[in-house]
Amino acid sequence: MTVDGFALAHLRRSPLGHLADRLAAAEATGPGGVRLREIPFLAQLNLRLDPAGPAAARAAEALGAPLPTLAGSVVATADLRVLWLGPDEWLVVGADGAAPTIEHALRRALGDEPGSVVDVSANRTTLELSGPSARSVLEQGCSLDLHPRAFGPGRCAQTTVAKVQLVLDQIDAEPSYRLLVRGSFAQYLADWLLDATGE
Amino acid sequence: MLLIACPWCGERDETEYHYGGQAHVAHPADPHALSDAEWGAYLFVRDNPKGEFAERWMHAAGCRRWFNVVRHTVTHDISAVYPAGQPRPVPPSDEHSEVTA
Amino acid sequence: MSNRPGNRLAAGGRVDRSAPLRFTFDGVEYTGLRGDTLASALLANGVLAVGPSLYRERPRGIVTAGVDDPHALVQLERPCSDPMQLATTVELSDGLAATGLQGRGRLDDAPDETRYDKTYLHTDVLVVGAGPAGLAAALAAGRSGARVVLVDDQPEPGGALLSGRERIDGRPALAWVAEARAELEAQPETRLLTRATAIGHHDQNYVLVAERRPDRPGGGGRLWHFRARQVVLATGAHERPLVFAGNDRPGVMSAAAVRSYLNRYAVLTGRRAVVFTTGDSAYATALELAAAGAEVPALVDTRPEPPAALVKAARAAGIEVLAGAAVVGTEGGARLTGVRISALTAEEQLTGPVREVACDLLAVSGGWSPAVHLWSMARGTVRYDATLAAFVPDRAAQEVRACGSGRGRHDLAGCLTEGFTAGAEAATAAGFPFAAPIAPPCEGDTPPAPPRPVWLVPGEEGDPSTWRDHFVDAQRDATVADVHRAVRAGMRSVEHIKRYTTIGTAHDQGKSCGVAAIGVIARLLGARSPGEVGTTTFRGPYVPVSFALLAGRERGPLFDPVRTTAVHPWHVRRGAVFENVGQWHRPRYYPRPGEDMDAAVLRECRAAREAVAVMDASTLGKIDVIGPDAAVFLDRLYTNGFAKLPVGSARYGVMCRADGMVFDDGVTVRLAPDHYYLTTTTGNAAAVLDWMEEWLQTEWPELRVRCTSVTEQWSTAAVVGPRSREVVAALAPGLDVSNDAFPFMTVRDAVLANGVPARICRISFSGELAYEINVSSWYGLAVWEAVLAYGAHAGITPYGTETMHVLRAEKGYPIVGQDTDGTVTPQDLGMTWVVARHKDFVGKRSFARADTSRADRRHLVGLLPVDGGELLPEGAQLVAPGADLTAVPVDSLGHVTSSYRSAALDRTFALALVRGGRDRIGETVLAPLPDGRTVAATVTEPVLFDPKGGRRDG
Amino acid sequence: MPDQLPEHPDWLWRTPDPKPSYDVVVVGAGGHGLATAYYLARNHGISNVAVLERGWLAGGNMARNTTIIRSNYLCEESAAIYEHALKLWEGLPEELEYDFLFSQRGVLNLAHTLQDVREGTRRVGANRLGGVDAEWLDPDEVRAFCPIVNTSPDVRYPVLGATLQPRAGIAKHDHVAWALARKADEHGVDLIQNCEVTGFVRDGGGRVVGVETTRGRIGAGRVALAAAGHTSTLTDLLGLRLPIQSHPLQALVSELLEPVHPTVVMSNHVHVYVSQAHKGELVMGAGIDSYNGYGQRGSFHQIEHQMAAALELFPIFARAHVLRTWGGIVDVTPDASPIIGLTPVENLYLNCGWGTGGFKATPASGWVYADTIAHGRPHQLAAPFALERFATGALIDEHGAAAVAH
Ligand SMILES: Cc1cc2nc3c(=O)[nH]c(=O)nc-3n(C[C@H](O)[C@H](O)[C@H](O)COP(=O)(O)OP(=O)(O)OC[C@H]3O[C@@H](n4cnc5c(N)ncnc54)[C@H](O)[C@@H]3O)c2cc1C
Ligand SMILES: NC(=O)c1ccc[n+]([C@@H]2O[C@H](COP(=O)([O-])OP(=O)(O)OC[C@H]3O[C@@H](n4cnc5c(N)ncnc54)[C@H](O)[C@@H]3O)[C@@H](O)[C@H]2O)c1
Ligand SMILES: Cc1cc2nc3c(=O)[nH]c(=O)nc-3n(C[C@H](O)[C@H](O)[C@H](O)COP(=O)(O)O)c2cc1C
Ligand SMILES: [Zn+2]
């Protein structure tokens, strides 16, 4: 069952829609700068399959990129980011409205192979944290090694930031991070980030 | 705060994991064939060594995979990490770990 | 403003004479300088005494210039309130206000507004201590390209060099320090943290560092969590006191501290100073005091033959060196006026006449104890080095290196060499090969000659049992007499003596007195050396740290996440009263103006039974279980079967732990042959998913099943009541909602009138006709509002968890965790029907155990208070009718698990776990209440409302 | 001026060398081992007893616990044995002629959720039926009893009420051990320190007839284990497996503070356990680590979490300082209740599994254990705690009541 996001856009609420102004107002510029915003309604598909099986190749074809097999890595195409979540698990992230198409393609790729494709677009929302201070903000609540020698664009991790489990996806070297957080925890995470950026 | 290397995700803080107790305790093939005492032992009795212990951990905040760790219960030194379902690696015979407390 | 004569020297020191700072101590106003500590500023103003001693109220003065001071306890009022600090570590600031303490601090109940932060950081090499050894280590490691962090608790690097007059490479040592600092700051991957104390060194090189941030409002700080590949400990050494009569008198100070006050703070702590030492280092104190204009009538050295060069230099400065002697007593009142000196025999007995020397300062050096605290916390072993008369690092248990005087190396060149070596080795071990640089030549600090430790300077009279002025741990007023008493009582272990005398358990945790105490114990036990006695255990934190620092930002609103659903804003607007369910905030009820909970709940219940009501059920855990073996898998986990569940149908299931006790329950829907959608209780969502993964991954990896949490993907509105059908019909116009087309326990996909796709289940937790409308959480709020709009004409009423509980209890449906407590089987709940006979499942074997199959286990039953207006408290105990409540112990039959007022029954009722309850149906039980009354209730079947189940189809 | 701690007696105990054999060898000189020896002598006239201790006397969990004493347990079997202990505590300072600062200042168990309230009500009711003093306090009464508790409804987990056991309290742990040791010694019991049991001597019939130690072989008529966290390392030597896991449990103290905290507060939900000891330090227990550990140290995040939780409940503690942290090795059973009694190995007796809460049981544990050893059958209060319950399923599940049972 899928939803065409655009037709119903006026009915949608993202978990942090009401915070947009506060997130924007928290922006700091300059060398210690940091920006925070929600990117709502991204398409997210949880994909489970055997990376060595025939479905993996079909999925790669459908996505236009091989499934990342290196732990904690991301493969990005023009319109998708495929995040490694586990040895047989990925999160395919696409643009708002793309979920039905991606889901369909992945289901076809999976075929009769054991595995699963689950639309989890509304399960998590995405917070983007960027700017020269973004890393030090995250380091206030995340025990991962985020130094460029250890983490960088193309890397993702499921980890904990300030008591909240999330998927961390670094998208560029500025650095910018996406924090994919479950809807029910989004408010807490946003509050925490606002507090940490204000430090 | 132990540092445990998930076989997939690499080193993460202990707080990302769930502890699962002793490794290699299989659910009995036919529980109903067991006496109450044997079943009770399966339910409740686990090794509790002072020394190296093969135990289970699950990367709860990460890839959510269960795996096994050989950890020294005094020093917390970890001598092996291996996926669930694999046998406990045999330690190189010339090595012995030190007990300090 | 005080008029005392100043002790501040006109020049020198690392204080800023252009920045006077005003402060008050014990209510008196003084002026100090930027760069001062509270202690140095007090000393500059001629104030030596701090608070009196804890038990004996003896006057006490400042002794050291650092974290090891045994006396200098103060309470801060400004810039921040703090119950206990050491004057020797508090940096002076303008407006600071403090008072001296008598051993105990006072907590201020004004709210604490100070901000404390945390940071987690990884590094290749962490160097603790920025004295010469640590600086050298950081330089070497930093040059390798490794990531390096150097932390030091002082406001600036330099360590002991800040307090001395040594020279490196022909220039003042501090010029070298400045260069080193500049180089470190220029290294892109090196970070220098000052005012940062490593407080704990834990397993796998997890090092916690507490950073003070006096620039912040109210102080504040940051707790750094370092994970280091390699650690270099360059923590220096603490100078030890000596144990002799009257050694706690104000004016008795550490010789190194006297030197530090002189050189670093430009404060002359005495006009006429006697120096008492067991080794070389105090000679510099004596010489520099003399050079600064103080009289130094005597230098008392325990060694019969001190190094000739030192003796010569002292004599040249007009200082009489008394070799082979000891200070055996002090004179004076609240301030030292003189000391008594006696010669010592080789057996450490006093000999010859006692000589009195007038002085206002006694600078004492009892030797040096390397700061092995972190080393030891990191499980490194220490050994007693008889030559150094100190416990020194021995074997490391982690990737840790000690260097410099923290390792017992007490000359500058040696410290630099060791630092460079340790830094280079650490970098190399961390994967950044680097060769140690050669240390530059140094002056003013050569390898010291061996000390002559004297652990216990005998008293002039009596025996140790009477030496009540020989302080061992002055902060605890513990003396040689106390140690003697412990030994005489039979104690042999240093750990016992510590606990008996409380030595080493005060604010300074024995930093200065610890080894001296061991020395005394060794003497009194007749041990050959302190090494035979051993140390007590070093424990963190290295210095006391505030609770607030450790709590960080996890306070108030950030203490713990509040989880909310997509509909939450509506609940708030509607004035819901919330209940904590796990981390969730769930509406408990929605009071109307003037309503209390009872009234609101009765109204909500009535709406559900008589018309239609709606609840936000989004918090239920939801799991997609997908794969060809999904049915087999669920059959193994649930007590009942799921393989035969038709696609499009739903079934209630119960899960047990392997011990047979109910663990969770919920409804599962089969969406496709290989796809189940499973719901869990709100509180158990994560636990159930973990449970499933555990079995799948560790026991049944052959099963082709994948579980995905979709708890927040779906927003769920439960529409309940006889008129729910008409609401759903309007809400989902394309859906045939007739009983035949959409029967109980089935599921349908539909597109709602507003265009939102929905998955609608006909399941009921109330016994009424009911639908659960699941939509993507994005639309959760819109659909909720639509439900209310479409139900408006029928008077649709939002209801909360309380009403949900009443409705389900009227039907006898248990709530896992409320009506169960981990000791209840499905059979106990009267749910034999949910326990499959012909398949095995997790926990089944346990039902056959002797105790689990007992007939008189506690059963879930209903209770009807005889007085239908009486509400039994949940948790109330139950006893048999004839029970004599005065004859304890009274046999308990069980307890009330749920209890409510029922609108439908027009009376109160309850559920209870009662021993052999099903066999007591119709009998009366008594609930003794806290107020002394006893309430009678009749045991019934648990289902009290609509026992035939006729209402579920509307 | 702060009270000085009471003077200790002039004489405590001898430091004897082990004799070749004893009627009873108690393994472990923690509180339980010492109390067992004391009551063997006092109640049963068996004084040819040695207590063997691998380190220094009472240096295990006895030296490390947060000293909370209460008997308001949920299960009647538990309440019965802990109440027996509390009654003994009430007479013990006098009996042992040692002021070990037993202070019946009351223990509050806070309720923060509706489930906590139900559980508290249930426990108060059960306790009263069992003859254990118990009251339910509403938030205002909580504040009146302990003014520094934050009872504001606006916090994350507001205080919804509390159970109070007025007779509960604290005692100075070390002094308790020394008091027992002193009296045991007086009765002729040999307290032998630095003597680790490393093996068992068995006769042809498999009976235990002695122990191997780091100080040689010592014969024993009966061997009574009281080794807390180390118990399974000993039973492993006999091939006897126990349902026990040894976990790190930490505690901490603040610097000395003027009195602010008049009672003992426990909150299972927020994870806070705190009292203010006689000298003035705040004594707090932290959470148990999930993993097994024999290191007498735990993970620091437990302490950090503990501090955050403490400040939610006691804002006034914000500026107090952690002076020292430490850890013990607690022996946890599946039902959080102890194991006491006979074993399948003849002459070998077992007393362990007290986990996070055995200090308060010390006298009763020793009392029933001594009786069990003396008569070769379980004391009536100990009978429900037999090892067999793990086979029959008749667990004494205190989890329903409390996650942690300090
Ligand atoms: C941090 C912490 C807080 C606690 N708080 C409380 C509380 O507030 N209230 C409460 O009631 N309980 C509390 N407890 C639990 C309580 O401390 C224990 O349950 C109790 O002390 C255990 O009994 P014991 O005193 O005999 O154990 P221990 O003192 O541990 O005694 C066992 C002894 O056996 C010795 N031993 C072990 N192996 C051998 C061997 N092979 N040979 C010789 N000797 C051996 C050990 O060295 C040890 O001295 C707490 C525990 C900890 C760790
Ligand atoms: N002549 C003697 O007997 C004698 C004795 C001792 C030292 N010294 C001299 O003192 C110098 C010692 O040099 P060094 O580098 O080994 O030590 P140091 O004392 O110069 O430096 C140690 C530094 O570490 C800091 N520190 C200690 N513990 C810390 C912690 N837990 N967290 C953060 N910072 C901490 C201290 O404040 C200090 O700044 C040498 O010049 C040596 O010759 C001489
Ligand atoms: C109730 C109680 C109070 C304590 N008070 C203090 C104290 O005031 N100062 C201190 O340094 N340690 C105190 N301790 C801790 C002991 O010093 C020590 O850490 C503990 O006995 C564990 O031993 P260990 O650290 O040597 O392993 C206290 C311990 C307990 C159980
Ligand atoms: Zn992982």
Side-chain angles (χ1 to χ4, degrees), chain C residues 674-830:
Chain C
D674 63 349
H675 185 177
Y676 292 80
Y677 168 76
L678 175 153
T679 61
T680 75
T681 58
T682 298
N684 265 344
V688 171
L689 181 62
D690 284 356
W691 180 241
M692 297 173 78
E693 287 289 357
E694 179 176 348
W695 286 98
L696 267 183
Q697 292 182 35
T698 68
E699 286 293 340
W700 307 318
E702 71 284 0
L703 291 186
R704 297 157 303 166
V705 182
R706 309 281 187 219
C707 304
T708 307
S709 166
V710 288
T711 297
E712 278 107 317
Q713 173 69 18
W714 297 98
S715 184
T716 307
V719 185
V720 175
R723 298 185 68 182
S724 57
R725 180 172 285 131
E726 58 187 89
V727 177
V728 173
L731 181 71
L735 183 68
D736 182 346
V737 293
S738 68
N739 254 334
D740 292 343
F742 189 1
F744 184 58
M745 292 308 255
T746 61
V747 58
R748 299 289 179 262
D749 284 347
V751 176
L752 304 184
N754 58 10
V756 175
R759 176 187 292 164
I760 303 182
C761 304
R762 250 203 75 190
I763 53 185
S764 176
F765 196 40
S766 57
E768 298 299 325
L769 176 68
Y771 300 83
E772 284 191 356
I773 300 167
N774 299 281
V775 297
S776 151
S777 290
W778 294 343
Y779 302 101
L781 183 55
V783 167
W784 175 267
E785 286 171 340
V787 169
L788 282 147
Y790 285 108
H793 72 282
I796 193 164
T797 301
Y799 70 96
T801 49
E802 195 64 24
T803 292
M804 182 257 283
H805 283 169
V806 179
L807 298 175
R808 62 86 202 177
E810 288 168 346
K811 293 294 297 174
Y813 299 148
I815 298 268
V816 173
Q818 176 169 344
D819 302 295
T820 72
D821 62 2
T823 67
V824 176
T825 64
Q827 295 87 339
D828 296 342
L829 294 173

Side-chain angles (χ1 to χ4, degrees), chain C residues 475-493:
Chain C
Q475 214 174 94
R476 290 281 197 238
D477 276 336
T479 65
V480 169
D482 295 317
V483 177
H484 183 268
R485 190 153 191 278
V487 169
R488 198 184 53 202
M491 289 188 153
R492 296 292 172 270
S493 160

Side-chain angles (χ1 to χ4, degrees), chain D residues 187-259:
Chain D
H187 277 103
V189 171
D190 282 355
L191 308 175
I192 301 166
Q193 305 180 66
N194 302 309
C195 178
E196 178 166 359
V197 171
T198 54
F200 294 89
V201 188
R202 302 179 78 167
D203 69 6
R207 275 182 298 266
V208 167
V209 293
V211 290
E212 304 286 358
T213 80
T214 47
R215 299 181 65 178
R217 175 178 292 205
I218 302 174
R222 274 152 287 182
V223 174
L225 302 187
H230 278 89
T231 305
S232 47
T233 64
L234 288 163
T235 52
D236 279 353
L237 299 169
L238 293 161
L240 174 63
R241 295 180 79 222
L242 296 180
I244 278 195
Q245 298 283 289
S246 296
H247 290 274
L249 180 68
Q250 297 174 80
L252 59 94
V253 287
S254 73
E255 72 272 69
L256 304 193
L257 297 164
E258 286 181 8

Side-chain angles (χ1 to χ4, degrees), chain A residues 71 84-87 158, chain B residues 5-10 12 16-17 58-65 67:
Chain A
W84 183 98
L85 296 186
Q158 295 186 81
Chain B
C6 168
W8 288 279
C9 307
R12 299 288 181 92
E16 291 204 359
Y17 300 90
M58 193 265 277
H59 193 183
C63 66
R64 304 191 49 78
R65 294 312 107 146
F67 59 95

Side-chain angles (χ1 to χ4, degrees), chain D residues 27-33 52-54 60-62 64-68 195-197 226-228 230 234 249-251 328 330 354-360 406:
Chain D
V27 183
H32 292 219
L52 309 185
E53 169 55 51
R54 63 193 284 270
N61 292 333
M62 191 64 181
R64 286 149 215 282
N65 68 80
T66 48
T67 77
I68 300 174
C195 178
E196 178 166 359
V197 171
H230 278 89
L234 288 163
L249 180 68
Q250 297 174 80
V330 292
W354 294 91
T356 62
F359 172 69
K360 62 179 71 65
H406 288 311

